[in-house]
Amino acid sequence: MDVVTDRTAGIDGAVRTGRALAEAAAAVLPLRWVRADFPLTAADVDPGFLTRALRDVAGGATVVAARPVGGTSGTTDRVRLDLSWDRDSGDLPRHVFIKSTPTSAKNRTMVAALALARNEALFYRHARSALSERSAPRCFSAHAGMGARHLLVLEDLTDRGGEPKALCDDVDAGYARAMMVTLGELHATFWDSPRLRGDLDFVRPERERPGFPLLLRQFRQVRSKLLKSAEYELPREVREMAAFVNANDWALHANWDKGPQTVIHGDTHLGNTFGLGDGGVGLLDWQVLYRAPGMRDVAYFLVTSVPVEVRRAHTDELLQTYLETLARNGVPAVPTRDQAWDALCLFAFDAWDSAAITLVWPGLQAPENVAKSVERANAAIVDLDVMPVLRRSI
């Protein structure tokens, strides 16, 4: 039986990798060589498309002009549009935020191989409506095609007082507590939900994610480079952890399949959050969502994004806030405090990996973000003394 299971897993993994490679192959083709039934870039978005996308909030009004007022390029291209309507009304959106196909073939390749654009479009189509207004931006239109071609029309959060954060920002304990509440509400909503076997079946377990074997290999290469290079100074505890993970990564990642499963955001660093005037916190960029224990999101945020002194002083309180939020939102068997601490120590290596890759892959984050997240992640690995939990977990 074990042999059959292993063979089946190997076949399934090969199929997933093959699909990821096919998506990557389409991604490297010139942008307009792959057809889509939606605008590929913000420049292709015209007033007629926007009028149709915004019909549920427009009350019959028509967009007559859309002017770009700033944007960035990365894993997606992002442009803010200033809208003009055929009539004046305080209820009409004055801006929208467009996320669309990367113009860079290199970025398209990564987005396609990992199904990032498809994930986010499906999140907004199927899962967003189950969450609170503050949890994520409102989406007016979501499209995804082959080779990372995609387009999202999102609300402009600044129009309702949202303040997007940068990864290098320093937040206080109040912001971190609000983030624990948001994560607790997200995870409670989908905690062992039958929808994970229904309309949310696209939210795959970690080791079934498109491109996961490729990602695992990439992280091994990152750890090996950091361990061998004299260019990077790593604390002794971090070097021990990185060497252990390189030798045992597949077995360690098997822990993602254990315990209650839920929809996790998957990339809960500070730069993917926004604060609101009422003290609430929401999440941006839902491209990496998958199925896993909720504590993985919690660990990722605490390790990469909370200032070191704040984390040291408030981790126990923050974990308790998260657990209480799960209970308040109907989770029947909430993890214990000790289980939450063990999960934090287990998932910390994965958060460290995500900071470390930005050191050796220029352009993933701005230099100031890289410096701050790596500093926080190194300190967290040392402070948490992760090795006893990692050794018990394989």
Side-chain angles (χ1 to χ4, degrees):
M1 178 64 73
D2 288 342
V3 173
V4 172
T5 301
D6 289 345
R7 285 178 180 170
T8 301
I11 292 170
D12 289 347
V15 169
R16 289 192 296 273
T17 300
R19 288 174 181 166
L21 292 173
E23 284 278 355
V28 301
L29 294 173
L31 181 63
R32 301 190 187 281
W33 283 25
V34 177
R35 297 190 55 146
D37 59 359
F38 54 87
L40 293 177
T41 70
D44 300 322
V45 173
D46 60 26
F49 177 84
L50 289 170
T51 297
R52 293 189 295 275
L54 297 168
R55 62 184 177 274
D56 289 343
V57 296
T62 299
V63 177
V64 295
R67 180 175 64 90
V69 286
T72 60
S73 294
T75 53
T76 61
D77 285 6
R78 300 169 170 86
V79 175
R80 185 176 185 240
L81 296 180
D82 182 90
L83 305 182
S84 298
W85 296 84
D86 65 346
R87 68 171 186 241
D88 290 329
S89 171
D91 295 332
L92 294 172
R94 291 303 171 187
H95 306 92
V96 290
F97 194 73
I98 304 294
K99 294 183 68 172
S100 63
T101 313
T103 52
S104 159
K106 176 183 175 183
N107 288 341
R108 285 200 303 273
T109 301
M110 181 180 74
V111 172
L114 301 179
L116 302 183
R118 176 180 175 273
N119 269 350
E120 188 161 35
L122 289 172
F123 163 77
Y124 279 113
R125 289 180 194 167
H126 296 286
R128 172 66 184 91
S129 62
L131 301 175
S132 68
E133 182 182 5
R134 74 162 181 273
S135 297
R138 181 174 183 178
C139 182
F140 302 110
S141 187
H143 306 270
M146 191 72 175
R149 277 75 176 170
H150 70 282
L151 186 125
L152 302 176
V153 181
L154 301 168
E155 70 166 315
D156 180 5
L157 289 165
T158 61
D159 284 351
R160 62 171 163 121
E163 180 190 357
K165 297 293 186 181
L167 181 50
C168 62
D169 287 344
D170 287 324
V171 296
D172 60 16
Y175 193 94
R177 277 193 295 272
M179 179 66 165
M180 294 300 101
V181 172
T182 293
L183 291 178
E185 291 174 350
L186 163 66
H187 299 153
T189 299
F190 301 108
W191 195 270
D192 273 344
S193 171
R195 293 184 63 189
L196 295 171
R197 298 178 297 278
D199 66 316
L200 299 184
D201 184 60
F202 70 92
V203 183
R204 304 305 302 157
E206 188 204 37
R207 295 194 296 177
E208 294 181 19
R209 291 167 59 199
F212 179 70
L214 304 176
L215 194 62
L216 208 64
R217 183 171 63 188
Q218 181 69 55
F219 280 126
R220 283 189 210 119
Q221 293 170 348
V222 167
R223 294 185 215 103
S224 296
K225 180 173 182 176
L226 292 175
L227 288 169
K228 293 175 182 176
S229 174
E231 180 182 354
Y232 308 101
E233 292 186 10
L234 299 177
R236 174 188 58 80
E237 295 89 343
V238 171
R239 298 183 69 84
E240 182 183 11
M241 178 273 297
F244 183 83
V245 173
N246 254 12
N248 298 283
D249 57 355
W250 187 257
L252 286 167
H253 278 278
N255 290 282
W256 270 242
D257 296 334
K258 297 177 181 178
Q261 301 286 291
T262 188
V263 173
I264 71 166
H265 178 279
D267 197 17
T268 49
H269 66 70
L270 187 61
N272 282 339
T273 73
F274 61 92
L276 293 167
D278 63 0
V281 171
L283 287 159
L284 305 166
D285 289 351
W286 292 78
Q287 298 175 319
V288 190
L289 84 166
Y290 60 95
R291 187 186 312 178
M295 272 299 302
R296 192 274 183 185
D297 270 349
V298 173
Y300 194 97
F301 179 73
L302 293 178
V303 169
T304 65
S305 301
V306 178
V308 173
E309 295 307 319
V310 175
R311 176 183 51 75
R312 287 171 176 164
H314 294 281
T315 294
D316 202 59
E317 170 199 346
L318 294 172
L319 292 178
Q320 190 62 35
T321 298
Y322 173 71
L323 298 176
E324 289 173 355
T325 304
L326 292 179
R328 191 166 57 249
N329 285 274
V331 171
V334 173
T336 67
R337 174 184 173 278
D338 288 345
Q339 288 171 331
W341 270 100
D342 281 353
L344 171 59
C345 293
L346 168 65
F347 294 123
F349 85 83
D350 185 54
W352 181 90
D353 277 347
S354 295
I357 197 172
T358 65
L359 274 176
V360 300
W361 192 334
L364 281 181
Q365 287 285 351
E368 61 271 22
N369 291 335
V370 173
K372 192 60 73 80
S373 65
V374 170
E375 173 193 352
R376 292 167 180 159
N378 281 339
I381 296 301
V382 174
D383 292 344
L384 293 171
D385 188 23
V386 301
M387 287 307 302
V389 171
L390 293 183
R391 291 192 182 98
R392 292 198 305 269
S393 299
I394 61 172

